Amino acid sequence: SSITTLGTVTAGNLSNTAIVYPAGHIVNTWNWGPYNTTANASSASLSTTLSTLNFGSGTGGDVQITGITATEGNLLHITSHVGDLYINPDGSYNTDIGPEIDGSWKITTSLYIYQNTQIVLPVTCTALFTVPANFTNKTIKMRGAIQGGSGVRYMTARQYSGGNHTLHLTVFEIQQ
């Protein structure tokens, strides 16, 4: 057989740099949250100016992770639930939400709604990003903006029937 039996490993250091992990292995994880809200929490209103989503100090503040260092060529899998988008109708304009990686914004969710009534939509964003050279001590944050209009739009974490609403931003580094 080509399988080597190791038995039970009782000591060692899995972060040893001599270990070669197979492609697809998660080699690092970073988190903002999860924040479970039992009361309603809202971010500031979105505008045509790109801004970082923020649910207040009681619910994690800015939706961002700092101090990320990853290996060139690996993938960063970014996933987040940044609440529900609340829209008070003002016509048909896009609302764009996505991660900003080291100062560069990536739109991953663009919502175009033509609706004559108020609407609330859950927003989950996912992105894959190939790690460039020198990716050291970087920040990933969730940002949003609208493309026009005068209606109210903001992200909200609403509590329903006594249940929690969970907000999170998670980044996985995947070995390639």
Side-chain angles (χ1 to χ4, degrees), residues 13-134:
N13 183 349
L14 293 177
S15 65
N16 185 311
T17 58
I19 297 173
V20 177
Y21 292 100
H25 183 84
I26 295 174
V27 295
N28 214 333
T29 304
W30 300 269
N31 295 293
W32 173 88
Y35 292 99
N36 295 310
T37 63
T38 56
N40 293 345
S42 298
S43 71
S45 293
L46 297 172
S47 71
T48 56
T49 302
L50 183 63
S51 62
T52 301
L53 301 179
N54 181 312
F55 286 91
S57 61
T59 313
D62 284 347
V63 182
Q64 70 178 12
I65 301 170
T66 59
I68 296 174
T69 297
T71 302
E72 179 180 2
N74 282 350
L75 289 177
L76 294 183
H77 178 247
I78 303 162
T79 183
S80 68
H81 174 63
V82 289
D84 299 332
L85 175 63
Y86 170 87
I87 300 171
N88 189 5
D90 63 347
S92 53
Y93 297 97
N94 278 7
T95 301
D96 299 322
I97 298 169
E100 180 181 285
I101 305 166
D102 191 28
S104 177
W105 189 38
K106 319 289 185 198
I107 299 173
T108 60
T109 302
S110 187
L111 302 160
Y112 175 86
I113 297 171
Y114 185 77
Q115 184 76 358
N116 291 325
T117 60
Q118 293 178 348
I119 192 166
V120 178
L121 296 170
V123 176
T124 298
C125 299
T126 301
L128 280 175
F129 175 75
T130 302
V131 179
N134 305 312

